[in-house]
């Protein structure tokens, strides 16, 4: 690995932390940087899960009070998501790199579309909290399978699903989302590590950048409109999708 590649990975990790702190979508940057640097797509996808995990943890810690107050739903949704995340990660491991490579542009287009529609999918403030029904269980299972398999845009999908599954205000749903994201990412990381598809070197370079970017993102969030960051992430997603289509 050249010094240029090291700098590219660190910068991509840093920028992913920044955009995650402002609007989300950091996976596009980490996955793109690793695959464009020659890493096989399955390894890049698995390693990206590790890079995103610290951000999930710090966000969940910020919502610790809300998560404890909603313990029952957190446990139920956590169990559902653990099963779904495990299934998604195992599905990914069952594929060859060429097979997954053929799916990447379509996954990127779908994830970019979900990310672009994020403001429309954001749940409205509601007070009608309710227990999780069968539709909520099924919807969260599908979302967590996707999260274990690929993950880009998972947070936005989950907020929309949780709004239907349990109701309640935005911060309640965001707290649950952050907790569940930890569950899905942790399960997936264990599966990927056991399957030998994680590049720990790439993770070691990018995680410090992502942590620094997450901290800096708070500063940027006060100065850069979220719509600008969202537009940049959508542009990156579409450019990556086009790249994978035309080089496939």
């Amino acid at each position: 690995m050249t010094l240029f590649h090291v700098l590219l990975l660190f910068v991509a990790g840093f920028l992913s932390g920044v955009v995650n702190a402002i609007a989300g979508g950091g996976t596009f940057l980490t996955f793109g940087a690793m695959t464009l640097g020659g890493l096989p797509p399955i390894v890049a996808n698995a390693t990206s899960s590790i890079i995103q995990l610290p951000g999930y943890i710090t966000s969940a810690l910020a919502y610790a009070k809300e998560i404890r107050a909603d313990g029952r739903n957190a446990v139920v949704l956590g169990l559902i998501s653990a099963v779904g995340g495990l299934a998604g990660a195992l599905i990914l491991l069952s594929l060859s790199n060429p097979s997954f490579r053929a799916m990447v542009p379509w996954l990127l287009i779908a994830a970019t579309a979900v990310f672009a529609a994020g403001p429309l999918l954001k749940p409205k403030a509601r007070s009608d909290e309710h227990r999780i029904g069968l539709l909520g269980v099924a919807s969260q299972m599908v979302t967590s399978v996707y999260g274990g398999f690929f993950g880009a845009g998972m947070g936005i999908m989950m907020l929309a699903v949780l709004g239907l599954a349990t109701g309640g205000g935005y911060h309640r749903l965001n707290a649950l989302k952050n907790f569940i994201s930890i569950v899905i990412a942790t399960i997936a990381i264990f599966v990927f590590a056991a399957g030998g598809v994680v590049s720990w070197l790439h993770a070691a370079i990018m995680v410090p950048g992502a942590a620094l970017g997450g901290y800096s993102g708070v500063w940027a969030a006060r100065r850069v409109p979220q719509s600008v960051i969202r537009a940049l992430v959508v542009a990156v997603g579409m450019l990556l999708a086009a790249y994978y289509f035309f080089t496939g």
Side-chain angles (χ1 to χ4, degrees), residues 111-228:
T112 303
V114 169
F115 184 80
L120 300 176
L121 297 175
K122 183 178 178 179
K124 295 180 175 62
R126 297 166 54 181
S127 58
D128 58 331
E129 298 180 11
H130 51 268
R131 294 196 173 190
I132 305 165
L134 282 177
L135 178 59
V137 170
S139 299
Q140 182 55 33
M141 179 64 75
V142 171
T143 304
S144 57
V145 169
Y146 171 78
F149 180 76
F150 191 54
M154 175 184 68
I156 296 167
M157 292 171 60
M158 208 180 305
L159 278 175
V161 166
L162 291 174
L164 296 173
T166 71
Y170 173 76
H171 289 293
R172 174 180 186 254
L173 300 178
N174 203 32
L176 286 172
K177 182 262 292 181
N178 289 328
F179 171 75
I180 295 166
S181 296
I182 293 175
V183 173
I184 295 172
T186 301
I187 292 289
I189 288 168
F190 274 114
V191 173
F192 296 149
V197 294
V198 173
S199 174
W200 297 106
L201 176 60
H202 287 73
I205 294 169
M206 299 182 84
V207 165
L212 183 60
Y215 183 82
S216 303
V218 176
W219 178 89
R222 295 177 180 146
R223 293 163 175 82
V224 182
Q226 189 176 108
S227 59
V228 173

Side-chain angles (χ1 to χ4, degrees), residues 68-101:
R68 284 195 299 269
D70 207 8
R72 181 185 179 279
N73 279 321
V75 170
V76 172
L77 289 165
L79 291 173
I80 294 167
S81 300
V83 174
L86 176 63
L90 290 173
I91 291 171
L92 180 67
L93 282 188
S94 71
L95 299 175
S96 65
N97 272 297
S99 298
F100 182 63
R101 172 66 174 73

Side-chain angles (χ1 to χ4, degrees), residues 45-54 189 198-200 203 207:
N45 186 44
T47 306
S48 192
S49 298
I50 295 174
I51 298 163
Q52 307 306 318
L53 181 59
I189 288 168
V198 173
S199 174
W200 297 106
V207 165

Side-chain angles (χ1 to χ4, degrees), residues 41 96-107 244-245 248:
S96 65
N97 272 297
S99 298
F100 182 63
R101 172 66 174 73
M103 299 172 66
V104 164
W106 300 104
L107 289 168
Y244 289 113
F245 268 124

